[in-house]
Amino acid sequence: MVNRFTARKEFFGSLVYDNSRCDYIPFDWDATFMFEASQQFSSDEVFAKMEGKLSPQSFQTFVQLCQSIDLMDREGRFQGAFASGEPAPNVLAAPLRVHLAVTQRCELHCRHCAQESRDGAADELSLDDIRRLFDEMAELGVMEVVLGGGDPFLREDLFSIISYARQKGLSVSISTTAIFLSRVLAKKIAELGIKGFRISFDGSTEKSYDYFRGKGTYRRAVRGIKTLRELFEKTPITLHTVLMKPNLSELLTFVRCVQKMRANSWSVDFYRPVGSGAADCAKLALSAEEVRETFHTLQRLSENTSVKIEVPHFPHRSQRKGIYRGFGCVGGNIYCHIDSSGNIYPCSFLTKDFKGGNIKAESLKSVWLNSAAFRRFRGLPGNDVCRQCEHFSACRGGCRARAAGGESINAVDPCCFVQEREKVQPQISK
C-alpha cells in the first residue's frame, strides 16, 4: 500500500508529497526534524529535543495544523515515509516532476511543432527502460510524471506504462492532442486513475484548427475530447493553446470551446521558435506589443467568465518561492524533460545545448545532480535588468527558451514587459 505522504530531505528542510492532492509542500529543517523524531518518540519527547526552538504554543499549533490535514496522527506521529537519499547543496535532490516523451511519433504536421522530427526514434525507450526510470523516481521521491510525445496514444504499450507508474505510486498526467485516442484504451486507463489531461488545442474553429494541423483534425480532436470527458467525469481536463498571429483573434471563441467541451480550464502560452516550427517564426511569433495587449485581454476575460483561464504571468510568479536559487526558470531546477530516446534535458525547448545524459546509461539522480549541462544551466549569469527587478526572488528571470530564441539565453524573457526593464540597460553574457 502506498503512503499518502512521501517526504524527501532538501537543502532548506524537506518536501512532502501529498498523494491525495498531488502536490508538494515545503517545510523547514525544524519541521523536518519533528517529522522524523515523531516516528520514534512521543510528542513530549520531540518537543524536549527541540531545545527551545519553539514555544509550547507554537509547537502545539504546528502539530494541530499537521493533524488537520492528516499529516500527523492523534499522537503527533508523522504519517508518511522518507525517501532514501540526502539533500544536495543549494539544489533540489531530485526533480519534482519528470516530463517523459514516451514516443516522438506523430502523424500530424503542425506548423508550430516544437519537435525536429515526427518519426519514431530508432532507439525509442523500451518498456523495461521506462520501468527502471519509474523505479528510480519512486526511490528518489519524484512522485509525478507527465506522459507526452509526439502523441502518447500512438505508443502501443501505453496502458502498461501507466499501470506500472501507478503501481509505483506515481501520479500520472497525460499531454495529448486527443486525436489518436482509442476509446478501448481510454476505458482501460480510466480504471488506473489519471491526475489530469492537457489537450493541445490551437484553433477554436474547424478552419483555424485544420490550418495548423491538417484537414479533418479538428473533428477528430473534438471527438477525442468528448470521449475523455465522458469516461473521466471527475478528472481535470485542460485545453492548452499556443497563441500565435493566426489565432490571436480567437480568444473569446476559445473560451466558448472550453465551455462547450466541458473542460475544466483553458491554459495559454506564447509561441516559441523551436523545432520544425521555427521555420515559420515570421508568420507565427507575436511582437512584444501583441503579447502585452493579449496578456491584458486575457486578464479581463478571466475576470468576466466562469472559465478558469491559466494566464502566463510577467514577471513569472513562482508558487514555490525559495526552493531553488540562482537565475533561470523552473526547467532544470524543479522539472526536467526526458525524450523518447532517454536523453535528459532541463526543458523540452532547450535540447540542442543542454543534454545532460541518457537514462539507459546513467541514473536520473546522477544526471540531475552532476551533469555538466544541468550545472551550466543552473549557473547562467543572467542580466542586470532581471537581477535588479523587485520581482526577481519569485520570477528568477522567466522562460530561458524564449530568451534563447531571441537575443541570448541570458537576456530578459522577450514576453516580459514590466516597467523595471526600462530603467536599466542590460549587461548580458552571450
Side-chain angles (χ1 to χ4, degrees):
M1 180 179 178
V2 177
N3 286 300
R4 175 180 169 182
F5 298 101
T6 301
R8 63 186 224 201
K9 293 182 180 178
E10 300 292 353
F11 67 89
F12 51 81
S14 62
L15 286 169
V16 177
Y17 186 76
D18 183 344
N19 282 286
S20 67
R21 295 176 59 246
C22 297
D23 196 16
Y24 286 89
I25 310 170
F27 291 95
D28 63 18
W29 275 114
D30 288 339
T32 303
F33 173 82
M34 290 171 61
F35 292 150
E36 285 193 298
S38 71
Q39 296 182 318
Q40 302 180 51
F41 303 100
S42 70
S43 186
D44 289 341
E45 290 172 320
V46 172
F47 176 71
K49 291 178 179 293
M50 295 293 291
E51 298 178 342
K53 290 185 177 180
L54 292 175
S55 68
Q57 183 177 357
S58 296
F59 178 85
Q60 192 58 39
T61 297
F62 179 78
V63 170
Q64 289 172 351
L65 286 172
C66 291
Q67 290 171 331
S68 70
I69 59 171
D70 299 322
L71 190 56
M72 286 182 161
D73 65 13
R74 292 182 178 180
E75 304 302 320
R77 288 186 293 261
F78 178 60
Q79 294 298 285
F82 273 85
S84 61
E86 294 299 318
N90 298 322
V91 63
L92 294 186
L96 296 188
R97 179 191 301 153
V98 169
H99 293 250
L100 173 64
V102 293
T103 183
Q104 72 176 21
R105 281 176 287 165
C106 186
E107 298 171 9
L108 305 178
H109 296 278
C110 303
R111 294 174 181 269
H112 55 295
C113 184
Q115 292 191 167
E116 296 289 350
S117 171
R118 301 172 181 89
D119 299 324
D123 56 350
E124 187 171 272
L125 291 170
S126 68
L127 181 58
D128 285 341
D129 291 330
I130 294 173
R131 284 172 171 166
R132 285 193 294 271
L133 171 65
F134 290 167
D135 287 341
E136 185 184 5
M137 286 174 59
E139 182 180 351
L140 294 175
V142 186
M143 304 307 294
E144 294 190 21
V145 60
V146 179
L147 303 180
D151 198 294
F153 283 102
L154 289 173
R155 175 102 186 198
E156 291 80 4
D157 55 359
L158 182 62
F159 175 80
S160 297
I161 292 172
I162 297 172
S163 179
Y164 193 77
R166 297 299 292 135
Q167 288 176 37
K168 300 301 294 186
L170 303 179
S171 170
V172 177
S173 299
I174 298 178
S175 179
T176 176
T177 61
I179 287 175
F180 307 104
L181 176 71
S182 157
R183 186 178 183 88
V184 173
L185 177 57
K187 278 187 175 182
K188 289 178 66 178
I189 66 174
E191 300 172 0
L192 300 175
I194 301 296
K195 177 185 176 182
F197 292 93
R198 190 175 86 153
I199 314 297
S200 182
F201 198 82
D202 300 311
S204 64
T205 66
E206 184 171 0
K207 180 180 179 181
S208 174
Y209 193 101
D210 287 2
Y211 167 79
F212 285 115
R213 296 218 155 104
K215 187 175 181 179
T217 54
Y218 175 81
R219 295 189 179 187
R220 292 171 64 189
V222 170
R223 183 165 60 245
I225 295 168
K226 288 181 177 178
T227 297
L228 288 176
R229 184 73 291 166
E230 175 188 342
L231 298 177
F232 296 82
E233 294 182 5
K234 297 182 180 180
T235 302
I237 294 176
T238 297
L239 298 190
H240 178 74
T241 301
V242 176
L243 292 176
M244 301 163 275
K245 287 184 184 293
N247 65 6
L248 197 56
S249 63
E250 303 175 38
L251 300 182
L252 187 56
T253 49
F254 273 118
V255 172
R256 290 170 181 161
C257 280
V258 175
Q259 293 170 324
K260 183 178 179 180
M261 298 176 194
R262 297 191 295 129
N264 298 85
S265 59
W266 180 39
S267 162
V268 300
D269 202 354
F270 297 99
Y271 163 82
R272 295 176 178 85
V274 295
S276 60
D280 275 343
C281 181
K283 297 179 181 178
L284 302 178
L286 302 179
S287 68
E289 186 58 31
E290 286 173 322
V291 170
R292 179 196 293 268
E293 292 178 2
T294 303
F295 175 74
H296 291 308
T297 300
L298 289 169
Q299 282 189 316
R300 290 193 296 272
L301 272 176
S302 66
E303 295 167 358
N304 293 282
T305 179
S306 59
V307 172
K308 179 183 178 182
I309 304 177
E310 299 174 7
V311 183
H313 289 285
F314 303 109
H316 173 69
R317 296 177 187 174
S318 172
Q319 295 180 349
R320 297 188 171 94
K321 181 178 178 181
I323 65 173
Y324 78 92
R325 298 173 179 173
F327 174 81
C329 57
V330 293
N333 287 295
I334 293 181
Y335 310 135
C336 71
H337 170 73
I338 302 178
D339 71 15
S340 62
S341 297
N343 299 310
I344 310 173
Y345 306 95
C347 166
S348 62
F349 298 113
L350 292 169
T351 58
K352 289 186 177 181
D353 301 316
F354 292 97
K355 177 182 172 181
N358 190 290
I359 63 168
K360 295 177 184 178
E362 305 166 78
S363 69
L364 173 63
K365 179 179 180 180
S366 175
V367 173
W368 177 263
L369 293 178
N370 303 316
S371 74
F374 275 70
R375 288 178 179 270
R376 183 159 48 90
F377 186 77
R378 295 177 187 132
L380 292 174
N383 60 82
D384 290 346
V385 173
C386 290
R387 290 192 176 278
Q388 294 180 28
C389 176
E390 63 179 305
H391 305 286
F392 180 71
S393 62
C395 175
R396 318 306 299 183
C399 179
R400 294 301 89 212
R402 275 196 294 259
E407 185 178 355
S408 159
I409 194 170
N410 288 295
V412 175
D413 181 339
C415 284
C416 181
F417 46 77
V418 293
Q419 293 300 312
E420 284 74 11
R421 68 182 297 180
E422 305 296 337
K423 298 177 183 177
V424 185
Q425 293 298 318
Q427 300 297 315
I428 298 170
S429 300
K430 296 285 186 182

